[in-house]
Amino acid sequence: MGSRVDESCVLVDGPWTHRFVGANGSRFHVVEAGTGPLVLFLHGFPEFWWAWHDVLPRIADSGFRAVAIDLRGYGASDKPPRGYDGYTMAADITGLIRALGERNATIVGAGAGGMIGWAAAAFHPKLVNKLVVLGAAHPLRLRAALFADPRGQFAASSAALRFQVPRYEHVLTRDNAAMVAELMTRWTGPQWRETPEFDDYVARCREAMQIPQAAFCALEAYRWVFRSALRLQGYRFVKLMQKPLITPTLQLHGGLDTATLPRTAQGSGRYVLAPYEWRLIPEVGHFLHQEATDVVTGEVLRWLKSN
């Protein structure tokens, strides 16, 4: 590695405050703006809190306490060697809600962050009063599709399958994390892909993935998903996830998402007893919060003010 990247690269100035909060035995980097009911934003792979830099100030200006975090293992949050299973990452989020001094929160999660949102709402329903999921199927829908749709979702998940290879993080970070750019280009809709904003965003995500240990931690979460499918711990996770959600849930999905196919995500409503809405956003891919920021912000605000 010629260049040395460190955590300071994610401490970007803006109309927000950076701080560190201890929760569930780890230290998390949180970025917050505004006051009011708590809305907690969870990024996906291969991102970091910056995923929400456009949305955060808008939600804050609408009368909410908007907080984006770096997930365990990402950005400037702690990078412990363990804890990348569904239970622990869900407990990170609910621990953070308490550590931020709140009794409950709305969770907005994109991609891998959306999967954590589903789990947090299932395991800790009292702490999650509303849920907005972007580009993420309910974990049991994803699991079913991997087995039932070999040409579709299984093929779309080829990157995650490659992540199972030991020490694959060295491949991910090679050539200044060129693979991050490759994956993001593949998962993004053509309209955003052609813009300078896309290039800037990819450059930031590539840099953040080169923070020491970040790539290893990011891949560990994917490794757990596949390993657990064959283990008792995974069986218990599935049993717990079968409990229907009592959290009002809004699911937004890009019509051109090639990472989590729309047909995989679409059946997720069967796991929600509470008010539930599905909205397909045409012409955008996996990174809705970046590709259709106005639509996503409007939908999040509508959901926050409804039910």
Side-chain angles (χ1 to χ4, degrees):
M1 290 281 298
S3 63
R4 291 301 293 158
V5 173
D6 67 39
E7 294 177 353
S8 63
C9 73
V10 305
L11 304 177
V12 190
D13 285 339
W16 44 63
T17 310
H18 292 272
R19 62 195 185 99
F20 292 89
V21 176
N24 199 26
S26 286
R27 191 183 78 137
F28 292 88
H29 171 224
V30 306
V31 183
E32 62 180 312
T35 55
L38 177 61
V39 186
L40 198 57
F41 291 90
L42 313 180
H43 64 81
F45 171 88
E47 305 175 284
F48 62 107
W49 77 267
W50 185 252
W52 305 105
H53 74 281
D54 281 333
V55 177
L56 205 65
R58 300 190 205 185
I59 301 295
D61 290 346
S62 302
F64 295 91
R65 182 184 181 192
V67 176
I69 68 161
D70 282 331
L71 295 175
R72 165 185 295 257
Y74 284 86
S77 289
D78 275 358
K79 298 169 184 61
R82 286 178 197 82
Y84 300 94
D85 57 275
Y87 307 98
T88 305
M89 294 189 83
D92 286 348
I93 303 315
T94 48
L96 269 166
I97 293 169
R98 290 202 187 91
L100 289 164
E102 304 284 352
R103 300 239 294 276
N104 53 37
T106 293
I107 291 180
V108 181
M115 300 284 277
I116 296 166
W118 283 116
F123 299 164
H124 310 278
K126 289 194 174 72
L127 288 159
V128 185
N129 51 16
K130 288 180 184 168
L131 177 65
V132 183
V133 175
L134 289 73
H138 185 281
L140 300 189
R141 274 293 301 158
L142 179 63
R143 199 182 169 95
L146 286 171
F147 292 111
D149 189 6
R151 289 218 174 119
Q153 189 57 56
F154 189 80
S157 302
S158 60
L161 289 167
R162 291 208 305 271
F163 295 165
Q164 306 307 305
V165 176
R167 299 178 70 76
Y168 198 79
E169 54 273 13
H170 299 298
V171 180
L172 186 64
T173 52
R174 192 183 293 155
D175 300 327
N176 292 329
M179 184 179 278
V180 166
E182 190 186 306
L183 291 171
M184 294 180 80
T185 302
R186 193 190 311 164
W187 293 342
T188 299
Q191 289 176 348
W192 187 49
R193 200 185 299 145
E194 305 302 324
T195 65
E197 287 79 24
F198 174 72
D199 296 335
D200 175 68
Y201 190 65
V202 168
R204 287 178 185 273
C205 291
R206 286 175 71 171
E207 186 177 33
M209 193 56 75
Q210 294 174 74
I211 294 169
Q213 296 305 314
F216 167 78
C217 298
L219 298 191
E220 277 297 281
Y222 282 93
R223 288 168 180 154
W224 179 79
V225 170
F226 281 87
R227 283 194 306 246
S228 70
L230 310 168
R231 290 186 186 167
L232 183 65
Q233 192 194 29
Y235 174 74
R236 284 204 306 268
F237 181 78
V238 167
K239 290 291 292 178
L240 282 167
M241 287 304 299
Q242 280 167 346
K243 245 176 39 186
L245 258 66
I246 56 168
T247 302
T249 301
L250 170 65
Q251 194 174 4
L252 307 175
H253 211 87
L256 304 178
D257 191 334
T258 53
T260 303
L261 303 183
R263 66 176 184 245
T264 299
Q266 194 155 16
S268 300
R270 73 178 64 165
Y271 296 103
V272 186
L273 274 178
Y276 168 81
E277 275 184 41
W278 159 266
R279 180 163 177 203
L280 195 66
I281 302 175
E283 306 304 317
V284 300
H286 187 58
F287 301 100
L288 316 168
H289 45 297
Q290 292 290 319
E291 299 179 58
T293 308
D294 294 347
V295 176
V296 166
T297 305
E299 286 291 296
V300 168
L301 286 171
R302 179 177 70 82
W303 201 247
L304 282 167
K305 292 169 182 175
S306 68
N307 305 310

PDB file of all heavy atoms in Angstrom, residues 69-86:
ATOM      1  N   ILE A  69     -24.862   7.078  10.949  1.00  0.00           N
ATOM      2  CA  ILE A  69     -23.744   6.440  11.655  1.00  0.00           C
ATOM      3  C   ILE A  69     -22.845   5.705  10.664  1.00  0.00           C
ATOM      4  O   ILE A  69     -23.253   5.391   9.548  1.00  0.00           O
ATOM      5  CB  ILE A  69     -24.254   5.429  12.713  1.00  0.00           C
ATOM      6  CG1 ILE A  69     -24.914   4.206  12.029  1.00  0.00           C
ATOM      7  CG2 ILE A  69     -25.232   6.079  13.665  1.00  0.00           C
ATOM      8  CD1 ILE A  69     -25.032   3.001  12.933  1.00  0.00           C
ATOM      9  N   ASP A  70     -21.626   5.448  11.087  1.00  0.00           N
ATOM     10  CA  ASP A  70     -20.794   4.442  10.429  1.00  0.00           C
ATOM     11  C   ASP A  70     -21.099   3.124  11.130  1.00  0.00           C
ATOM     12  O   ASP A  70     -20.945   3.017  12.358  1.00  0.00           O
ATOM     13  CB  ASP A  70     -19.297   4.769  10.591  1.00  0.00           C
ATOM     14  CG  ASP A  70     -18.827   5.869   9.652  1.00  0.00           C
ATOM     15  OD1 ASP A  70     -19.414   6.015   8.561  1.00  0.00           O
ATOM     16  OD2 ASP A  70     -17.876   6.589  10.013  1.00  0.00           O
ATOM     17  N   LEU A  71     -21.567   2.141  10.384  1.00  0.00           N
ATOM     18  CA  LEU A  71     -21.833   0.828  10.959  1.00  0.00           C
ATOM     19  C   LEU A  71     -20.559   0.246  11.568  1.00  0.00           C
ATOM     20  O   LEU A  71     -19.450   0.649  11.205  1.00  0.00           O
ATOM     21  CB  LEU A  71     -22.327  -0.134   9.874  1.00  0.00           C
ATOM     22  CG  LEU A  71     -23.676   0.157   9.203  1.00  0.00           C
ATOM     23  CD1 LEU A  71     -23.908  -0.845   8.076  1.00  0.00           C
ATOM     24  CD2 LEU A  71     -24.810   0.106  10.208  1.00  0.00           C
ATOM     25  N   ARG A  72     -20.742  -0.701  12.468  1.00  0.00           N
ATOM     26  CA  ARG A  72     -19.614  -1.461  13.029  1.00  0.00           C
ATOM     27  C   ARG A  72     -18.677  -1.877  11.894  1.00  0.00           C
ATOM     28  O   ARG A  72     -19.104  -2.460  10.905  1.00  0.00           O
ATOM     29  CB  ARG A  72     -20.181  -2.697  13.729  1.00  0.00           C
ATOM     30  CG  ARG A  72     -19.181  -3.785  14.068  1.00  0.00           C
ATOM     31  CD  ARG A  72     -19.888  -4.998  14.639  1.00  0.00           C
ATOM     32  NE  ARG A  72     -20.517  -4.672  15.913  1.00  0.00           N
ATOM     33  CZ  ARG A  72     -20.022  -5.013  17.114  1.00  0.00           C
ATOM     34  NH1 ARG A  72     -18.913  -5.716  17.203  1.00  0.00           N
ATOM     35  NH2 ARG A  72     -20.644  -4.661  18.212  1.00  0.00           N
ATOM     36  N   GLY A  73     -17.383  -1.548  12.042  1.00  0.00           N
ATOM     37  CA  GLY A  73     -16.405  -1.975  11.048  1.00  0.00           C
ATOM     38  C   GLY A  73     -16.168  -0.996   9.917  1.00  0.00           C
ATOM     39  O   GLY A  73     -15.247  -1.174   9.131  1.00  0.00           O
ATOM     40  N   TYR A  74     -16.996   0.045   9.826  1.00  0.00           N
ATOM     41  CA  TYR A  74     -16.876   1.006   8.722  1.00  0.00           C
ATOM     42  C   TYR A  74     -16.413   2.374   9.216  1.00  0.00           C
ATOM     43  O   TYR A  74     -16.619   2.723  10.382  1.00  0.00           O
ATOM     44  CB  TYR A  74     -18.238   1.219   8.055  1.00  0.00           C
ATOM     45  CG  TYR A  74     -18.720   0.118   7.143  1.00  0.00           C
ATOM     46  CD1 TYR A  74     -19.410  -0.984   7.654  1.00  0.00           C
ATOM     47  CD2 TYR A  74     -18.538   0.193   5.767  1.00  0.00           C
ATOM     48  CE1 TYR A  74     -19.903  -1.980   6.811  1.00  0.00           C
ATOM     49  CE2 TYR A  74     -19.026  -0.792   4.912  1.00  0.00           C
ATOM     50  CZ  TYR A  74     -19.706  -1.871   5.434  1.00  0.00           C
ATOM     51  OH  TYR A  74     -20.190  -2.845   4.596  1.00  0.00           O
ATOM     52  N   GLY A  75     -15.853   3.158   8.288  1.00  0.00           N
ATOM     53  CA  GLY A  75     -15.566   4.568   8.563  1.00  0.00           C
ATOM     54  C   GLY A  75     -14.738   4.763   9.812  1.00  0.00           C
ATOM     55  O   GLY A  75     -13.679   4.159   9.990  1.00  0.00           O
ATOM     56  N   ALA A  76     -15.251   5.627  10.710  1.00  0.00           N
ATOM     57  CA  ALA A  76     -14.510   5.934  11.940  1.00  0.00           C
ATOM     58  C   ALA A  76     -15.067   5.185  13.154  1.00  0.00           C
ATOM     59  O   ALA A  76     -14.695   5.473  14.285  1.00  0.00           O
ATOM     60  CB  ALA A  76     -14.528   7.448  12.193  1.00  0.00           C
ATOM     61  N   SER A  77     -15.987   4.239  12.925  1.00  0.00           N
ATOM     62  CA  SER A  77     -16.472   3.407  14.034  1.00  0.00           C
ATOM     63  C   SER A  77     -15.450   2.315  14.349  1.00  0.00           C
ATOM     64  O   SER A  77     -14.563   2.028  13.537  1.00  0.00           O
ATOM     65  CB  SER A  77     -17.827   2.775  13.679  1.00  0.00           C
ATOM     66  OG  SER A  77     -18.853   3.752  13.668  1.00  0.00           O
ATOM     67  N   ASP A  78     -15.598   1.703  15.539  1.00  0.00           N
ATOM     68  CA  ASP A  78     -14.699   0.620  15.932  1.00  0.00           C
ATOM     69  C   ASP A  78     -14.739  -0.525  14.920  1.00  0.00           C
ATOM     70  O   ASP A  78     -15.770  -0.759  14.270  1.00  0.00           O
ATOM     71  CB  ASP A  78     -15.107   0.065  17.309  1.00  0.00           C
ATOM     72  CG  ASP A  78     -14.502   0.863  18.457  1.00  0.00           C
ATOM     73  OD1 ASP A  78     -13.754   1.815  18.178  1.00  0.00           O
ATOM     74  OD2 ASP A  78     -14.801   0.536  19.632  1.00  0.00           O
ATOM     75  N   LYS A  79     -13.610  -1.236  14.839  1.00  0.00           N
ATOM     76  CA  LYS A  79     -13.500  -2.361  13.908  1.00  0.00           C
ATOM     77  C   LYS A  79     -13.066  -3.615  14.668  1.00  0.00           C
ATOM     78  O   LYS A  79     -11.992  -4.159  14.429  1.00  0.00           O
ATOM     79  CB  LYS A  79     -12.505  -2.016  12.794  1.00  0.00           C
ATOM     80  CG  LYS A  79     -13.004  -0.814  11.996  1.00  0.00           C
ATOM     81  CD  LYS A  79     -11.988  -0.236  11.059  1.00  0.00           C
ATOM     82  CE  LYS A  79     -12.566   1.011  10.408  1.00  0.00           C
ATOM     83  NZ  LYS A  79     -12.909   2.084  11.366  1.00  0.00           N
ATOM     84  N   PRO A  80     -13.947  -4.091  15.566  1.00  0.00           N
ATOM     85  CA  PRO A  80     -13.569  -5.308  16.299  1.00  0.00           C
ATOM     86  C   PRO A  80     -13.524  -6.501  15.347  1.00  0.00           C
ATOM     87  O   PRO A  80     -14.158  -6.482  14.292  1.00  0.00           O
ATOM     88  CB  PRO A  80     -14.710  -5.466  17.322  1.00  0.00           C
ATOM     89  CG  PRO A  80     -15.869  -4.755  16.712  1.00  0.00           C
ATOM     90  CD  PRO A  80     -15.298  -3.626  15.902  1.00  0.00           C
ATOM     91  N   PRO A  81     -12.783  -7.547  15.718  1.00  0.00           N
ATOM     92  CA  PRO A  81     -12.677  -8.703  14.817  1.00  0.00           C
ATOM     93  C   PRO A  81     -13.974  -9.509  14.722  1.00  0.00           C
ATOM     94  O   PRO A  81     -14.152 -10.282  13.798  1.00  0.00           O
ATOM     95  CB  PRO A  81     -11.553  -9.544  15.437  1.00  0.00           C
ATOM     96  CG  PRO A  81     -11.455  -9.093  16.854  1.00  0.00           C
ATOM     97  CD  PRO A  81     -11.895  -7.667  16.897  1.00  0.00           C
ATOM     98  N   ARG A  82     -14.879  -9.333  15.694  1.00  0.00           N
ATOM     99  CA  ARG A  82     -16.121 -10.120  15.701  1.00  0.00           C
ATOM    100  C   ARG A  82     -17.345  -9.221  15.814  1.00  0.00           C
ATOM    101  O   ARG A  82     -17.228  -8.032  16.022  1.00  0.00           O
ATOM    102  CB  ARG A  82     -16.119 -11.081  16.903  1.00  0.00           C
ATOM    103  CG  ARG A  82     -15.190 -12.238  16.707  1.00  0.00           C
ATOM    104  CD  ARG A  82     -15.115 -13.174  17.888  1.00  0.00           C
ATOM    105  NE  ARG A  82     -13.914 -14.016  17.756  1.00  0.00           N
ATOM    106  CZ  ARG A  82     -12.706 -13.618  18.109  1.00  0.00           C
ATOM    107  NH1 ARG A  82     -12.537 -12.426  18.644  1.00  0.00           N
ATOM    108  NH2 ARG A  82     -11.670 -14.411  17.935  1.00  0.00           N
ATOM    109  N   GLY A  83     -18.510  -9.857  15.688  1.00  0.00           N
ATOM    110  CA  GLY A  83     -19.763  -9.130  15.904  1.00  0.00           C
ATOM    111  C   GLY A  83     -20.466  -8.739  14.620  1.00  0.00           C
ATOM    112  O   GLY A  83     -21.303  -7.836  14.618  1.00  0.00           O
ATOM    113  N   TYR A  84     -20.168  -9.442  13.527  1.00  0.00           N
ATOM    114  CA  TYR A  84     -20.778  -9.078  12.239  1.00  0.00           C
ATOM    115  C   TYR A  84     -21.959  -9.977  11.884  1.00  0.00           C
ATOM    116  O   TYR A  84     -22.343 -10.096  10.733  1.00  0.00           O
ATOM    117  CB  TYR A  84     -19.696  -9.060  11.142  1.00  0.00           C
ATOM    118  CG  TYR A  84     -18.650  -8.044  11.519  1.00  0.00           C
ATOM    119  CD1 TYR A  84     -17.490  -8.407  12.208  1.00  0.00           C
ATOM    120  CD2 TYR A  84     -18.880  -6.686  11.306  1.00  0.00           C
ATOM    121  CE1 TYR A  84     -16.579  -7.458  12.647  1.00  0.00           C
ATOM    122  CE2 TYR A  84     -17.977  -5.728  11.735  1.00  0.00           C
ATOM    123  CZ  TYR A  84     -16.827  -6.123  12.405  1.00  0.00           C
ATOM    124  OH  TYR A  84     -15.956  -5.170  12.847  1.00  0.00           O
ATOM    125  N   ASP A  85     -22.531 -10.589  12.922  1.00  0.00           N
ATOM    126  CA  ASP A  85     -23.726 -11.408  12.735  1.00  0.00           C
ATOM    127  C   ASP A  85     -24.972 -10.530  12.854  1.00  0.00           C
ATOM    128  O   ASP A  85     -24.922  -9.413  13.366  1.00  0.00           O
ATOM    129  CB  ASP A  85     -23.754 -12.511  13.800  1.00  0.00           C
ATOM    130  CG  ASP A  85     -23.718 -11.910  15.199  1.00  0.00           C
ATOM    131  OD1 ASP A  85     -22.608 -11.619  15.700  1.00  0.00           O
ATOM    132  OD2 ASP A  85     -24.805 -11.689  15.772  1.00  0.00           O
ATOM    133  N   GLY A  86     -26.085 -11.055  12.380  1.00  0.00           N
ATOM    134  CA  GLY A  86     -27.329 -10.295  12.372  1.00  0.00           C
ATOM    135  C   GLY A  86     -27.778  -9.839  13.746  1.00  0.00           C
ATOM    136  O   GLY A  86     -28.284  -8.723  13.909  1.00  0.00           O
TER     137      GLY A  86
END
